[in-house]
């Protein structure tokens, strides 16, 4: 076939050249001979022969180019014809482009989120050489190093060309340019900036000389991030040398990083970076070395750049050989045997740092993949839709196609032309879809990040080769998916049959393919709607859960110290006073302070055991609260007593447990009076239980009320700062806020950093489910709309094709109503077939998402029934218009036009 | 520049017609086609070698000709072209349009002759 020949030539260019040369040589030799026979002097003959050809190289190229030329010409011709055809049917083209745009746009948007969160490496030179190093207790995911450990590793390692460390992120008070705000502070050391390829926008960046880990002098210089600089200084370039205050401590700005610098995080560009040696002074420690050298505080994160040729495995192996010695050298002195064994059980974790760290990654990977699958299914449905519409329209071009075939157009050319038209449609849809994707991905990422971070965060959504490749692949794939049907049909065209008007034989085969596509679409919509329905029901069930504490009408204010506010503070007296004052304000029912408000995502658990036993303990939820919290949160004290202000650090240590904890641990006796140990904290042993309270799901609503142990913060001075003030209001919360602020600030030690409500926090903890439910509902509705359009299109075409038959029926006495019923019945029949195919698929697909559902089983008859009824209803509406048109056909007109 | 281009187009179109007609008699190689056209037209039409081979390859691409390597009269390897079914159809089309063109031109010429 011509196409195969063309392709063969394309790939055998050099052989072709040789062939052409040989062909020309033959001709030249013959010409030479003819010249000599005609009397030309033999010496001149070859020159004349060659001269007639002109430049043989050019000739050879032109000859060879004929192949490519014909291919390109055909392609351009097809493209122009395709575009002209598309423009003629504006309604169809418009709907098709919009459908494709929504499908491709949604897919691209979600893929860009997936890419920037999960696939993409950090925007630094040679990210594949970055390796993270950290130590962790078995079972902990966070891996860090103490400063001595980092120094030892740096000294003895042989696999990295450079190393660097960072610690973050801490949100602290920052006074910059006369404005006070909370900002994200990171401390860095080693070759942080140089290894991450950072370039200063203004001034200079921190160099290793700024971070001397052996110095006892704090280094009080700072580098601003681009976002912070623009927000607080308006991008003024004279910011170098200006002073900012972090927690009241002055730092000098020495530089600003360029926009796009992200440090080691994929989702949080740093706002302010200071040397590690500047961190002690912020925390009020004047002895820099003592703060830095805390041996068991693994507060640094570290990474190194592999030397050329070294792999991650080799690095891991080499560091593993050094690790035992490092533990020995850096072990803290004078600890209990338990602490020492905990220290020596630290394991070294060495892994690739290519993608950097992310706070968001763990929580959103699975939902994003699910959304991606859903969006792909919608795109598939869109392609089926367009394919069936193209088929229907193609049937009306049968005449034209038949003529072209009769006049000598090869079937392959026709198929090529159809495919080109599909490609044009798909490209148009992709371009519009890119606009949707741009807007959609940024909106979605902003929504997600805003729920998690209080400081400005953003994902790197700039296009990279993966995103561009994905979009191109999607465009080509979709055009093939919906273009194959009419192209294939075109190649099976029998010219004679096609030229006959009203030929019904071919219509039947088209009919089956077209109907099949619609049935597939209905089935897909069913699957998607079922998924959406299950997610929505899950969310409802979650909302209806009673967590064991009061959710309505409770404000949560996060308190933070004014600079120096916590120096020499008599904690217990201060907080007792604060609680009294706030409780006495008008409109306040009760108030209390806690350090573990409900619905926070960071759970606090500890290994708990009965005192005197040897066991390693069981993991239990813990919370630290101050007197009055149970009352504010609506938790009842069932037995024994509540915490009071006399439970301070001089009194014997006490604890309160939840009822299910008491029942599980002390089934036969009363829990009151028993003693508990927190295994890993020697200071928290022999805690006497003084009270039992009702059960509550403090942290994760999804986990049914967990046994919990409560401790009084008043007995642990170290933990007293940064509390949350819970306030139960009788009226609308907004009315009391300003009074609350005033009262708190009037005491002079703290101020309000942020305000939220318990209800809002509970909602926020359900964000994954909310997101999935919202977006799957959106896509389900989209699929439903596509199915409706498909059904409508097919039935409308059917009516047109069968108008003659319908006219005859009506002329023979059929009632209009029965014609309408016939069309509607056919529509519903198609829909029912779609349901029959779709229901088993929906049940199977639901099982895949079972792990994401709450309170709803994967096989949920009410959802399936509701969705099926909805589909049938929409199908009926879609069929109504063609049915109405069929009903109102004038038999006389129809029969006359032949 | 423009004028020359149009002249080439006409020549190319005519060349295709001439080649197709020549091959109606049977398969031939490029040199054979050149000779045939020269001889039959009494040396009036001279095929430009520079345009012949690109045209032959193009017609092969379009599917009007099929090519085969064979032995020539003096036992050298040469590429022979022959008409395909589609080529025959194309020849008929081109002959028809040529006839129409020449008739139209004669009409205009003979008419202009009557004018004063």
């Amino acid at each position: 076939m011509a196409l195969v020949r063309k392709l063969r030539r394309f790939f055998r260019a050099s052989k072709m050249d040789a062939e052409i040369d040989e062909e020309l040589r033959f001709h030249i030799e013959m010409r030479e001979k003819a010249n000599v026979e005609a009397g030309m002097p033999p010496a001149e003959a070859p020159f004349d022969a060659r001269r007639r050809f002109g430049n043989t190289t050019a000739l050879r190229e032109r000859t060879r180019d004929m192949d490519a030329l014909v291919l390109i010409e055909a392609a351009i011709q097809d493209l122009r014809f395709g575009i002209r055809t598309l423009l003629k049917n504006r309604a169809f083209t418009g709907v098709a482009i919009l459908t494709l745009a929504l499908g491709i746009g949604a897919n691209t948007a979600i893929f860009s989120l997936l890419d920037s969160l999960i696939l993409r490496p950090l925007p630094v030179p040679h990210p594949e050489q970055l390796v993270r190093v950290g130590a962790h207790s078995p079972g902990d995911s966070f891996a860090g190093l103490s400063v001595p450990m980092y120094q030892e590793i740096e000294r003895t390692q042989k696999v990295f060309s450079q190393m660097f460390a960072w610690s973050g992120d801490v949100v602290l008070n920052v006074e910059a340019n006369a404005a006070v705000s909370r900002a994200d502070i990171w401390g860095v050391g080693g070759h942080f900036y140089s290894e991450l390829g950072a370039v200063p926008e203004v001034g200079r960046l921190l160099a290793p000389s700024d971070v001397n880990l052996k110095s006892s002098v704090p280094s009080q210089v700072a580098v601003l991030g681009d976002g912070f600089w623009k927000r607080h200084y308006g991008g003024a370039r004279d910011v170098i040398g200006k002073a900012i205050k972090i927690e009241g401590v002055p730092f000098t700005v020495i530089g600003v990083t360029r926009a796009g610098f992200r440090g080691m995080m994929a989702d949080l560009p740093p706002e302010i970076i200071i040397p590690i040696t500047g961190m002690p002074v912020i925390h009020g420690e004047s002895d820099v070395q003592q703060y830095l050298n805390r041996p068991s505080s693994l507060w640094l994160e570290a990474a190194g750049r592999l030397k050329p040729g070294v792999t991650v495995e080799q690095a891991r192996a080499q560091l593993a050989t050094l690790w035992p010695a490092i533990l020995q050298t850096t072990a803290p002195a004078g600890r209990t045997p338990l602490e020492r064994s905990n220290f020596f059980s630290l394991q070294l974790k060495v892994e690739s740092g290519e993608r950097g760290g992310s706070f968001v990654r763990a929580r959103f990977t699975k939902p994003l993949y699910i959304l991606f699958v859903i969006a792909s299914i919608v795109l598939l449905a869109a392609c089926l839709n367009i394919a069936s519409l193209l088929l229907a329209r193609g049937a009306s071009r049968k005449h034209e196609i038949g003529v072209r075939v009769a006049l000598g157009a090869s079937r392959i050319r026709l198929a090529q032309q159809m495919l080109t038209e599909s490609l044009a449609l798909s490209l148009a849809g992709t371009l519009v879809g890119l606009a949707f994707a741009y807007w959609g991905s940024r909106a979605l990422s902003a929504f997600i990040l805003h729920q998690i971070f209080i400081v400005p965060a953003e994902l790197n959504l700039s296009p990279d080769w993966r995103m561009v490749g994905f979009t191109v692949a999607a465009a080509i794939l979709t055009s093939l998916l919906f273009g194959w049907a009419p192209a294939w049909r075109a190649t099976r065209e029998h010219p004679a049959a096609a030229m006959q008007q009203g030929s019904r034989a071919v219509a039947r085969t088209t009919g089956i393919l077209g109907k099949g596509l619609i049935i597939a679409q209905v089935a897909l919509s069913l699957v998607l709607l079922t998924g959406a329905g299950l997610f929505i029901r899950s969310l409802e069930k979650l909302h209806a859960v009673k967590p064991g504490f009061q959710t309505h009408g409770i404000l949560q204010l996060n308190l933070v110290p004014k600079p120096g506010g916590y120096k020499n503070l008599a904690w217990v007296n201060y907080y007792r006073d604060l609680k009294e004052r706030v409780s006495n304000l008008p409109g306040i029912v009760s108030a209390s302070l806690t350090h573990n408000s409900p619905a926070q995502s960071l759970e606090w658990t500890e290994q708990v055991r009965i005192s005197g036993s040897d066991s390693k303990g069981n993991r239990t939820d813990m919370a630290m609260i101050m007197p009055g919290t149970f009352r504010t949160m609506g938790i009842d004290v069932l037995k024994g007593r509540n915490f009071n202000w006399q439970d301070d650090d001089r009194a014997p240590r006490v604890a309160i447990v939840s009822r299910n904890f008491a029942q599980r641990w002390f089934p036969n006796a009363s829990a009151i009076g028993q003693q508990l140990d927190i295994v890993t904290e020697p200071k928290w042993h022999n805690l006497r239980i003084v009270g039992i309270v009702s059960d509550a799901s403090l942290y994760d609503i999804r986990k049914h009320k967990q046994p919990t142990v409560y401790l009084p913060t008043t007995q642990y001075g170290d933990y007293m700062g940064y509390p949350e003030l819970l306030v139960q209001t009788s009226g609308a919360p907004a009315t009391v806020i300003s009074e609350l602020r005033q009262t708190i600030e009037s005491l002079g030690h703290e101020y309000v950093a942020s305000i939220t409500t318990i209800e809002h926090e509970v909602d926020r903890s359900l964000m994954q489910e909310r997101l999935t439910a919202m977006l799957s509902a959106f896509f389900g509705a989209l699929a439903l709309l596509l199915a409706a359009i498909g059904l409508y299109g097919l039935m409308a075409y059917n009516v047109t094709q069968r108008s003659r038959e319908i006219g005859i029926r009506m002329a023979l006495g059929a009632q209009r109503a029965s014609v309408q019923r016939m069309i509607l019945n056919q529509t519903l029949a198609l829909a029912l077939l779609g349901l029959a195919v779709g229901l088993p698929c929906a049940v199977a697909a639901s099982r895949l998402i079972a792990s994401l559902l709450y309170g709803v089983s994967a096989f949920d008859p009410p959802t399936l029934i509701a969705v099926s009824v909805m589909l049938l209803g929409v199908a009926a509406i879609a069929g109504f218009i063609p049915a109405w048109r069929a009903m109102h056909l004038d038999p006389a007109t129809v029969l006359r036009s032949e | 520049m423009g004028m020359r281009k149009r002249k080439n187009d006409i020549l190319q179109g005519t060349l295709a017609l001439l080649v197709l007609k020549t091959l109606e008699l049977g398969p031939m190689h490029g040199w054979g086609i050149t000779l045939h056209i020269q001889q039959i037209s009494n040396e009036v039409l001279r095929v430009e070698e520079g345009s012949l081979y690109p045209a032959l390859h193009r017609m092969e691409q379009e599917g009007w000709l099929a090519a085969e390597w064979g032995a020539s009269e003096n036992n050298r390897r040469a590429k022979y072209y022959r008409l395909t079914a589609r080529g025959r159809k194309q020849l008929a089309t081109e002959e028809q349009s040529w006839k129409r063109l020449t008739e139209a031109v004669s009409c205009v010429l003979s008419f202009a002759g009557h004018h004063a």
Side-chain angles (χ1 to χ4, degrees):
Chain A
M1 278 189 301
L3 188 61
V4 179
R5 241 184 296 146
K6 276 183 209 174
L7 283 174
R8 276 219 302 255
R9 286 199 183 183
F10 197 69
F11 289 111
R12 287 159 51 198
S14 55
K15 183 157 190 245
M16 257 192 69
D17 277 355
E19 283 189 3
I20 295 176
D21 274 346
E22 191 168 357
E23 197 180 358
L24 297 182
R25 236 181 303 134
F26 173 74
H27 188 119
I28 290 178
E29 282 183 14
M30 300 300 276
R31 174 63 77 184
E32 263 186 57
K33 248 205 304 170
N35 280 348
V36 169
E37 278 168 20
M40 201 182 281
E44 209 190 300
F47 292 115
D48 174 69
R50 279 211 182 73
R51 213 183 318 128
R52 285 171 186 262
F53 271 89
N55 185 344
T56 43
T57 321
L59 179 59
R60 197 205 308 139
E61 275 178 22
R62 269 174 55 211
T63 311
R64 174 150 58 95
D65 284 347
M66 279 298 128
D67 291 350
L69 199 64
V70 171
L71 264 176
I72 295 175
E73 271 184 15
I76 295 182
Q77 201 183 18
D78 288 344
L79 198 60
R80 282 167 62 186
F81 185 74
I83 294 182
R84 228 181 317 144
T85 319
L86 287 175
L87 284 177
K88 263 200 284 185
N89 295 308
R90 254 174 253 226
F92 164 78
T93 310
V95 168
I97 291 185
L98 192 63
T99 315
L100 281 174
L102 281 171
I104 294 184
N107 271 287
T108 309
I110 295 184
F111 183 79
S112 7
L113 280 175
L114 269 175
D115 181 45
S116 68
L117 201 53
I118 298 169
L119 300 173
R120 200 172 190 152
L122 287 173
V124 300
H126 294 293
E128 67 283 356
Q129 288 176 334
L130 289 179
V131 171
R132 293 177 69 150
V133 181
H136 66 124
S137 324
D140 266 347
S141 54
F142 175 74
L145 298 172
S146 68
V147 172
M149 282 181 198
Y150 171 71
Q151 287 173 303
E152 273 301 300
I153 295 182
E154 199 181 7
R155 194 173 61 85
T156 53
Q157 64 81 20
K158 297 201 186 335
V159 289
F160 297 132
S161 56
Q162 298 288 7
M163 285 189 77
F164 56 93
W166 69 97
S167 118
D169 57 316
V170 188
V171 180
L172 299 169
N173 291 326
V174 173
E175 190 186 317
N177 210 12
V180 178
S181 63
R182 312 268 300 160
D184 207 20
I185 314 283
W186 295 69
V188 305
H191 298 257
F192 182 82
Y193 280 114
S194 56
E195 286 309 313
L196 292 179
V199 175
E201 178 69 29
V202 190
R204 69 173 184 88
L205 302 175
L206 294 176
S209 52
D210 294 303
V211 194
N212 184 357
L213 290 174
K214 300 219 186 313
S215 148
S216 33
V217 176
S219 177
Q220 291 176 233
V221 288
V223 172
L224 303 180
D226 178 78
F228 187 88
W229 175 50
K230 292 222 169 81
R231 274 192 303 274
H232 289 260
Y233 291 95
R237 302 189 88 83
D238 64 348
V239 68
I240 309 299
K242 291 229 166 100
I244 60 173
K245 285 205 186 135
I246 305 181
E247 291 294 319
V249 178
F251 280 75
T252 314
V253 177
I254 59 166
V256 178
T257 44
R258 229 166 245 187
F261 177 70
R262 310 191 136 253
M264 280 298 283
M265 299 303 287
D267 47 20
L268 199 58
E271 293 195 279
I272 301 181
I273 292 188
I274 61 175
I276 292 178
T277 44
M279 304 226 58
V281 72
I282 292 179
H283 293 279
E285 287 283 336
S286 46
D287 190 340
V288 172
Q289 281 297 304
Q290 193 200 41
Y291 183 90
L292 289 181
N293 290 320
R294 292 171 298 162
S296 51
S297 183
L298 309 178
W299 60 291
L300 281 189
E301 294 187 71
R305 185 175 281 279
L306 291 170
K307 287 187 179 147
V310 180
T311 65
V312 180
E313 289 74 31
Q314 289 170 326
R316 194 176 289 135
Q318 203 254 330
L319 291 173
T321 60
L322 300 172
W323 186 236
I326 294 179
L327 274 179
Q328 280 289 4
T329 325
T330 62
R335 297 294 167 98
T336 66
L338 179 62
E339 286 168 335
R340 279 183 77 81
S341 84
N342 279 347
F343 184 84
F344 280 97
S345 67
L346 287 173
Q347 294 167 347
L348 191 64
K349 183 151 106 160
V350 177
E351 59 183 15
S352 160
E354 198 174 354
R355 297 175 302 141
S358 162
F359 298 108
V360 180
R361 199 175 279 154
R363 277 178 75 177
F364 282 94
T365 304
K366 197 155 185 206
L368 275 178
Y369 273 124
I370 303 249
L371 284 175
F372 184 67
V373 170
I374 294 181
S376 310
I377 295 182
V378 171
L379 187 59
L380 182 64
C383 291
L384 290 179
N385 196 335
I386 298 181
S388 80
L389 288 178
L390 274 175
L391 265 188
R393 210 197 58 188
S396 66
R397 293 167 66 186
K398 249 185 306 183
H399 185 80
E400 168 212 333
I401 293 177
V403 170
R404 289 171 73 195
V405 168
L407 282 184
S410 85
R411 307 231 175 100
I412 303 288
R413 266 307 297 277
L414 276 177
Q416 257 174 283
Q417 193 260 308
M418 300 279 183
L419 276 176
T420 314
E421 191 179 318
S422 307
L423 197 61
L425 198 56
S426 166
L427 279 174
T430 307
L431 283 174
V432 181
L434 279 178
F436 285 160
Y438 181 85
W439 174 83
S441 64
R442 272 156 187 73
L444 194 59
S445 117
F447 173 74
I448 293 179
L449 292 175
H450 180 68
Q451 300 279 325
I452 300 195
F453 294 113
I454 52 177
V455 290
E458 58 176 68
L459 286 172
N460 186 7
L461 287 172
S462 58
D464 65 347
W465 65 266
R466 255 175 299 252
M467 281 192 224
V468 171
F470 176 81
T471 315
V472 168
I476 296 182
L477 208 66
T478 48
S479 75
L480 282 177
L481 269 176
F482 68 75
W484 71 269
W488 174 77
R489 258 273 330 280
T491 63
R492 295 179 74 239
E493 238 11 284
H494 194 340
M499 299 256 275
Q500 280 172 22
Q501 298 257 21
S503 116
R504 249 165 274 144
V506 190
R508 212 166 289 146
T509 42
T510 314
I512 293 184
L513 184 58
K515 287 195 183 116
L517 288 173
I518 293 295
I519 292 176
Q521 236 191 306
V522 173
L524 278 179
S525 312
L526 186 73
V527 171
L528 287 179
L529 285 171
T530 308
L534 287 174
F535 284 132
I536 293 177
R537 284 200 70 187
S538 262
L539 191 61
E540 272 177 9
K541 289 264 156 93
L542 276 173
H543 273 171
V545 163
K546 297 228 174 306
F549 55 83
Q550 185 168 340
T551 46
H552 296 294
I554 303 190
L555 277 176
Q556 174 187 322
L557 298 93
N558 296 348
L559 302 184
V560 300
K562 296 191 170 162
Y566 284 165
K567 266 209 163 70
N568 301 324
L569 180 57
W571 296 105
V572 177
N573 292 340
Y574 166 66
Y575 280 125
R576 187 174 186 173
D577 190 22
L578 176 58
K579 177 184 180 304
E580 286 298 310
R581 288 193 196 212
V582 172
S583 306
N584 290 332
L585 288 175
I588 309 285
V589 175
S590 81
S592 60
L593 297 134
T594 173
H595 283 83
N596 295 104
S597 335
Q600 299 302 309
S601 50
L602 257 49
E603 334 181 306
W604 180 30
T605 61
E606 295 284 357
Q607 302 285 119
V608 175
R609 68 165 179 225
I610 302 184
S611 294
S613 93
D614 259 334
S615 84
K616 292 221 148 173
N618 291 37
R619 208 149 261 280
T620 314
D621 278 1
M622 309 278 305
M624 260 202 199
I625 58 171
M626 292 203 224
T629 302
F630 287 134
R631 184 164 160 239
T632 316
M633 278 175 47
I635 297 179
D636 302 313
V637 178
L638 300 170
K639 281 213 195 105
R641 71 166 176 89
N642 200 339
F643 292 138
N644 54 43
W645 296 104
Q646 279 73 46
D647 296 312
D648 60 12
D649 51 6
R650 288 167 305 200
R653 301 268 190 254
V654 294
I656 293 182
V657 300
S658 62
R659 174 164 50 182
N660 46 14
F661 182 92
Q663 275 171 345
R664 186 184 299 182
W665 290 67
F666 307 104
N668 298 320
S670 165
I672 311 245
Q674 306 279 1
Q675 297 199 335
L676 298 173
D677 288 345
I678 310 291
V679 178
T680 44
E681 292 289 330
K683 285 192 235 126
W684 298 5
H685 282 207
N686 298 324
L687 307 170
R688 195 162 60 85
I689 301 179
V690 294
I692 301 181
V693 294
S694 55
D695 301 327
S697 330
L698 270 191
Y699 297 121
D700 191 352
I701 295 217
R702 301 173 195 96
K703 296 194 197 137
H704 190 63
K705 299 168 188 176
Q706 300 282 303
T708 315
V709 174
Y710 298 90
L711 299 179
T713 327
T714 42
Q715 291 192 319
Y716 304 98
D718 297 334
Y719 293 83
M720 290 278 272
Y722 297 92
E724 281 114 38
L725 176 65
L726 298 177
V727 178
Q728 194 181 357
T729 59
S730 56
T735 49
V736 297
I737 288 181
S738 57
E739 275 197 57
L740 281 170
R741 269 193 214 270
Q742 260 185 324
T743 312
I744 295 165
E745 292 189 23
S746 70
L747 288 174
H749 291 278
E750 289 173 320
Y751 68 95
V752 179
S754 58
I755 306 183
T756 174
T757 63
I758 298 288
E759 200 165 9
H760 179 78
E761 292 298 299
V762 170
D763 242 4
R764 233 175 53 140
S765 72
L766 298 176
M767 195 195 2
Q768 243 171 299
E769 281 81 2
R770 271 167 58 213
L771 195 69
T772 321
M774 262 190 341
L775 285 178
S776 64
F778 170 72
F779 284 127
L782 198 59
L784 188 61
L785 183 66
L786 287 174
I789 295 179
L791 269 173
Y792 165 77
L794 190 70
M795 294 320 293
Y797 162 69
N798 247 355
V799 166
T800 319
Q801 284 301 101
R802 300 169 58 189
S803 48
R804 195 157 167 260
E805 172 197 335
I806 297 174
I808 291 178
R809 277 189 197 234
M810 294 218 265
L812 288 181
Q815 298 284 6
R816 287 180 191 274
S818 78
V819 168
Q820 182 191 36
R821 230 180 303 134
M822 179 180 76
I823 302 291
L824 272 177
N825 282 349
Q826 284 176 350
T827 318
L828 286 176
L830 278 178
L832 279 169
L833 276 172
L835 282 185
V837 172
L839 275 172
C841 299
V843 172
S846 310
R847 234 179 276 150
L848 292 172
I849 58 170
S851 61
L852 291 172
L853 299 175
Y854 179 89
V856 186
S857 71
F859 180 69
D860 189 45
T863 309
L864 290 168
I865 294 176
V867 167
S868 307
V869 167
M870 200 190 328
L871 258 173
L872 286 175
V874 168
I877 297 178
F880 182 76
I881 301 179
W884 189 86
R885 246 201 274 138
M887 219 172 76
H888 290 269
L889 275 178
D890 180 17
T893 335
V894 167
L895 288 172
R896 224 179 295 143
S897 66
E898 254 308 294
Chain B
M1 207 39 181
M3 281 294 277
R4 171 120 48 107
K5 210 165 178 200
R6 248 186 287 137
K7 199 162 124 199
N8 274 341
D9 283 348
I10 296 178
L11 270 179
Q12 254 197 4
T14 331
L15 184 59
L17 174 59
L18 295 173
V19 167
L20 285 171
K21 191 68 184 180
T22 309
L23 291 176
E24 202 181 26
L25 305 170
M28 246 184 258
H29 48 62
W31 170 248
I33 297 175
T34 314
L35 277 185
H36 179 95
I37 294 178
Q38 240 173 271
Q39 287 167 2
I40 300 298
S41 72
N42 284 323
E43 307 290 324
V44 174
L45 294 176
R46 264 134 152 273
V47 176
E48 219 182 284
E49 271 91 330
S51 6
L52 175 62
Y53 283 94
L56 282 173
H57 276 254
R58 191 201 180 95
M59 288 192 275
E60 192 189 343
Q61 287 301 302
E62 296 275 11
W64 302 338
L65 309 178
E68 235 177 6
W69 283 92
S72 72
E73 305 83 32
N74 51 357
N75 256 333
R76 289 282 326 285
R77 230 165 81 89
K79 199 167 179 190
Y80 282 82
Y81 295 89
R82 66 174 168 78
L83 266 189
T84 61
R86 229 189 288 149
R88 273 177 221 283
K89 262 196 238 166
Q90 182 70 17
L91 173 58
T93 316
E94 299 246 0
E95 263 184 310
Q96 246 195 340
S97 24
W98 177 257
K99 273 205 199 99
R100 254 187 290 135
L101 179 66
T102 44
E103 277 169 15
V105 171
S106 331
C107 284
V108 175
L109 287 177
S110 48
F111 187 86
H114 280 267
H115 245 286

